[in-house]
């Protein structure tokens, strides 16, 4: 049996993040919805992705775009109905696409009946479901930057919120909270979902002493530094629950701390998260030194633990990577090669396959209190306005060049970013080396990041030129260019010359099929 057959689906999958309010709209209200997603499954299937992760679609007052949930067991009318979601799960499954929902365990909305009851009286049976104190400590909230504690006039105590005051933190030390949240997971697993992306999962365990944290004095928010042993116990409980269902259900954690070693601990002994997001590349600029360090760290920290890595360049909380890389399409194209050829599961954020940039939002149009609207603009489906979004206006304006970057403009266009993503995903899918194969860095070059991927006799070399000038990166043996980010040289022998900001995937030339040794790729 091959590695790909033996390994669980998520190890060789490409996962696509859908931000539902900006993906596709079926009812012309300018906000995307679940039926809209259903109308675009052909597109996603043609792109070649394996699973769709949906940012929250649950009932919510939308203070934090749905990450403030007031009913975990229902769909917000803005996005449709439970029937619509059942239908999406069904239609996706018929096409072989998995569905991953966003599970938000750290906090609810302040409009959730649990919190309404909790704040109503100190004697409420839900009082201890949240974290109440007479005195706040110095912890800081992530959105708005103020205190992580808010005063509740009615019950005369402070409650804790790592995010907005409208997002009170649950108390996972209370077994009733654990049981209630397990019920939430069961509800969705019973409906057939294939797993969960678990929001800020490292935050659920809190320092039992509620001690001041000196890092908060320096301006950091608790969300980026909180890391408690207790979180692991909670995670093992979640994992046991998920594993009690049919195999293949997956837990992907948002462990939003910057130490790869700490993040690695959230995989447990294969009894916590199946995968965790890896944040450093999401913050990184277009710099070979930074990327080399990120990749080495992932390989050295996760590799020995058999913990499977993830790679992500953009999401709904951060600037799109093309914008971060100075707007350059060439860089965005080379980055796509990197994303889809590293060892680990790649996550594509909707619209990056179109090469979208951030939208600039002025003070009047601003929606997100956290200032993250830039990467949340609607997907342009058609060339002409309103770009496949019937009706007056969309909830956020389109990103620049919406027509030219639309799906309609790029589909079937050989040189487009969209076609590059399709070809890369297909190339990855067809190669065990690129999916589950081993990874090894090739000798260092100041501007070129190069690595080898292999599995049995399937072997690829990937070279990425981070500079905007031609670089020479000679390899021993004969190599053919299978795919190039700018299409130059595809199908030809690799000459060792890489154009500025060009990335290539190489395979062994036909007359050079001996197995590679560890040191036969020597750059000039
Ligand atoms: C995660 C989400 C982000 C949200 C926060 C609070 O970081 O990705 O959008 O604001 O959690 O739920």
């Amino acid at each position: 049996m091959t590695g790909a057959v033996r390994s669980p689906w998520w190890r060789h999958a490409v996962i696509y993040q859908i931000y539902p309010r900006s993906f596709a709209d079926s009812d012309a209200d300018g906000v995307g919805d679940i039926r809209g997603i259903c109308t675009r499954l052909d597109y996603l299937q043609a792109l070649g992705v394996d699973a769709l992760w949906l940012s929250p679609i649950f009932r919510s007052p939308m203070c934090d775009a749905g990450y403030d949930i007031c009913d975990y067991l229902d769909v917000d009318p803005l996005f449709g109905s439970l029937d619509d979601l059942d239908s999406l799960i069904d239609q996706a499954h018929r096409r072989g696409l998995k569905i991953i929902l966003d599970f938000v365990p750290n906090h609810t909305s302040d409009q959730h009946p649990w919190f309404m009851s909790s704040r109503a009286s100190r004697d409420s049976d839900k009082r201890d479901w949240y974290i109440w104190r007479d005195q706040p400590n110095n912890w800081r909230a992530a959105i708005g930057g103020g205190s992580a504690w808010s005063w509740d006039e009615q019950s005369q105590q402070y409650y804790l919120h790592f995010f907005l005051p409208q997002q009170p933190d649950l108390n996972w030390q209370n077994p009733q909270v654990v049981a209630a949240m397990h019920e939430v997971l069961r509800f969705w697993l019973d409906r057939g979902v294939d797993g969960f992306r678990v929001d800020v999962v490292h935050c659920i365990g809190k320092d039992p002493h509620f001690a001041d944290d000196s890092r908060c004095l320096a301006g950091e928010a608790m969300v980026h530094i909180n890391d408690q042993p207790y979180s692991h116990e909670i995670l093992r409980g979640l994992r046991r629950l998920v594993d009690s269902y049919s195999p293949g259900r997956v837990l992907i954690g948002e462990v939003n701390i910057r130490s790869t070693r700490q993040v690695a601990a959230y995989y447990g002994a294969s009894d916590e998260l199946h995968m965790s997001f890896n944040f450093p590349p999401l913050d990184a600029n277009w710099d070979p030194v930074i990327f080399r360090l990120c990749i080495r760290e992932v390989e050295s920290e996760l590799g020995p633990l058999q913990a499977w890595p993830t790679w992500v360049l953009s999401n709904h909380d951060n600037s799109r990577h093309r914008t971060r890389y100075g707007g350059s399409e060439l860089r965005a194209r080379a980055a796509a090669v990197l994303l889809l050829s590293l060892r680990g599961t790649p996550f594509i954020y909707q619209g990056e396959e179109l090469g979208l940039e951030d939208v600039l939002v002025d003070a009047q149009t601003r929606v997100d209190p956290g200032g993250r609207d830039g990467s949340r603009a609607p997907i342009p489906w058609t060339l002409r306005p309103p770009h496949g979004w019937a009706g007056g206006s969309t909830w956020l304006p389109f990103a620049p060049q919406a027509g030219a970057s639309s799906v309609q403009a790029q589909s079937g266009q050989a040189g487009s970013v969209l076609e590059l993503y399709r070809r890369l995903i297909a190339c990855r899918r067809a190669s065990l080396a690129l999916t589950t194969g081993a990874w090894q860095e090739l000798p260092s070059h100041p501007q070129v990041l190069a690595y080898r991927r292999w599995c049995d006799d399937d072997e690829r070399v990937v070279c990425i030129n981070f500079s905007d000038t031609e670089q020479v990166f000679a390899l021993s043996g004969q190599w053919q260019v299978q795919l190039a980010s700018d299409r130059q040289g595809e199908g030809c022998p690799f000459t060792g010359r890489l154009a500025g900001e060009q990335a290539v995937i190489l395979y062994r030339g036909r007359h050079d099929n001996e197995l590679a040794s560890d040191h036969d790729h020597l750059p000039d």
Side-chain angles (χ1 to χ4, degrees):
M1 282 218 306
T2 63
V5 175
R6 270 199 313 268
S7 65
W9 68 267
W10 41 267
R11 286 196 178 215
H12 47 93
V14 175
I15 302 183
Y16 186 90
Q17 179 188 357
I18 291 189
Y19 194 67
R21 58 174 57 220
S22 298
F23 189 65
D25 184 14
S26 73
D27 59 2
D29 66 351
V31 178
D33 48 48
I34 295 172
R35 287 186 180 199
I37 301 172
C38 292
T39 65
R40 301 294 176 180
L41 291 176
D42 281 348
Y43 168 76
L44 295 164
Q45 209 174 5
L47 182 59
V49 298
D50 303 275
L52 312 177
W53 149 35
L54 273 52
S55 281
I57 37 73
F58 315 103
R59 276 193 190 263
S60 163
M62 304 289 167
C63 295
D64 184 17
Y67 283 93
D68 48 324
I69 295 169
C70 62
D71 185 351
Y72 286 89
L73 308 183
D74 202 3
V75 168
D76 195 280
L78 191 63
F79 298 123
S81 66
L82 210 46
D83 284 346
D84 293 338
L85 188 58
D86 284 340
S87 163
L88 171 63
I89 295 170
D90 183 52
Q91 291 184 48
H93 283 173
R94 284 169 198 265
R95 293 165 183 260
L97 288 167
K98 312 272 187 193
I99 296 286
I100 293 169
L101 296 185
D102 214 314
F103 175 52
V104 184
N106 180 64
H107 44 267
T108 66
S109 158
D110 64 346
Q111 300 305 304
H112 195 296
W114 298 342
F115 188 70
M116 308 243 276
S117 163
S118 185
R119 83 186 322 176
S121 142
R122 292 198 188 192
D123 300 326
S124 159
D125 63 354
K126 299 280 186 303
R127 185 66 175 179
D128 185 52
W129 284 40
Y130 294 83
I131 299 166
W132 296 96
R133 286 289 175 281
D134 290 330
Q135 291 298 325
N137 61 14
N138 79 343
W139 293 358
R140 293 170 70 96
I143 307 179
S147 170
W149 298 90
S150 283
W151 176 248
D152 181 52
E153 202 50 49
Q154 198 173 335
S155 63
Q156 297 283 300
Q157 272 190 319
Y158 292 89
Y159 66 90
L160 181 66
H161 53 86
F162 275 4
F163 291 87
L164 293 171
Q166 295 88 344
Q167 294 168 294
D169 281 30
L170 281 162
N171 175 17
W172 277 79
Q173 300 270 13
N174 182 325
Q176 291 175 350
V177 168
V178 177
M181 293 307 261
H182 280 203
E183 278 314 302
V184 170
L185 292 187
R186 282 186 207 287
F187 179 86
W188 294 111
L189 288 164
D190 288 340
R191 293 191 107 83
V193 306
D194 301 285
F196 303 93
R197 175 264 189 188
V198 193
D199 193 62
V200 290
V201 65
H202 59 295
C203 290
I204 50 186
K206 311 283 193 292
D207 171 11
H209 306 295
F210 290 91
D212 280 349
D213 195 304
S214 56
R215 292 164 295 183
C216 286
L217 281 180
E220 281 198 66
M222 273 315 274
V223 66
H224 299 303
I225 53 188
N226 189 71
D227 175 43
Q228 292 293 322
Y230 184 59
S231 303
H232 299 279
E233 197 180 318
I234 300 167
L235 268 174
R236 284 191 287 274
L238 298 180
R239 175 67 179 262
R240 277 193 298 276
L241 188 152
V242 167
D243 282 353
S244 72
Y245 280 75
S246 56
R249 314 287 180 115
V250 63
L251 283 177
I252 308 160
E254 185 201 20
V255 183
N256 198 343
I257 37 188
R258 295 301 184 270
S259 148
T260 309
R261 175 160 298 178
Q262 277 177 324
V263 171
Y266 286 78
Y267 287 75
S270 298
D271 57 357
E272 297 185 32
L273 295 171
H274 294 93
M275 293 190 281
S276 173
F277 284 117
N278 162 35
F279 277 89
L282 197 57
D283 300 333
N285 291 331
W286 185 242
D287 181 330
V289 177
I290 296 177
F291 269 99
R292 189 170 285 130
L293 287 178
C294 287
I295 299 166
R296 282 183 189 164
E297 201 164 302
V298 164
E299 287 295 334
S300 65
E301 296 292 345
L302 267 53
L305 304 175
Q306 311 292 317
W308 189 249
T310 61
W311 296 100
V312 54
L313 300 176
S314 291
N315 69 14
H316 65 291
D317 289 330
N318 294 275
S319 192
R320 287 189 174 275
H321 63 271
R322 175 159 175 192
T323 301
R324 222 166 49 237
Y325 301 159
S328 153
E329 182 182 315
L330 279 182
R331 291 180 180 180
R333 297 173 80 99
V337 175
L338 178 73
L339 175 72
L340 288 153
S341 67
L342 283 167
R343 195 181 71 86
T345 298
F347 286 73
I348 294 175
Y349 175 52
Q350 66 176 40
E352 73 171 75
E353 78 279 16
L354 303 174
L356 288 190
E357 287 206 63
D358 281 0
V359 60
L360 273 179
V361 174
D362 57 27
Q364 285 80 43
T365 333
R366 195 181 130 151
V367 179
D368 177 41
R372 298 163 295 182
D373 293 324
S375 62
R376 298 179 178 180
I379 295 296
W381 292 99
T382 57
L383 194 58
R384 293 185 198 295
H387 303 303
W389 291 68
S393 59
T394 47
W395 76 281
L396 269 185
F398 289 94
Q401 313 294 330
S405 50
S406 67
V407 171
Q408 185 183 28
Q410 296 197 46
S411 290
Q413 297 302 315
S416 68
V417 179
L418 176 58
E419 291 307 323
L420 173 66
Y421 269 79
R422 284 188 182 154
R423 293 167 64 233
L424 272 166
I425 295 170
C427 169
R428 180 181 173 93
R429 184 187 295 280
S431 162
L432 280 181
L434 288 174
T435 50
T436 48
W439 177 94
Q440 179 196 38
E441 188 178 346
L442 295 182
S444 170
H445 176 294
Q447 295 297 342
V448 178
L449 173 66
Y451 44 89
R452 184 162 85 95
R453 300 289 317 272
W454 76 98
C455 177
D456 302 330
D457 57 356
D458 180 18
E459 185 182 16
R460 298 288 186 282
V461 162
V462 180
C463 306
I464 297 141
N465 178 5
F466 278 75
S467 76
D468 58 6
T469 54
E470 183 182 279
Q471 301 289 335
V472 175
F473 191 88
L475 296 167
S476 65
Q478 291 180 32
W479 294 87
Q480 301 278 124
V481 181
Q482 179 175 8
L483 189 147
S485 56
D486 57 0
R487 302 188 72 222
Q488 298 307 308
E490 284 182 358
C492 303
F494 179 57
T495 61
R497 292 185 183 285
L498 290 163
E501 283 157 354
Q502 186 192 37
V504 292
I505 299 180
L506 311 175
Y507 65 101
R508 285 246 172 217
R510 232 180 305 153
H511 306 296
D512 190 24
N513 53 5
E514 83 278 10
L515 278 182
S517 77
D518 278 353
H519 25 243
D520 68 346
H521 308 295
L522 295 173
D524 272 346

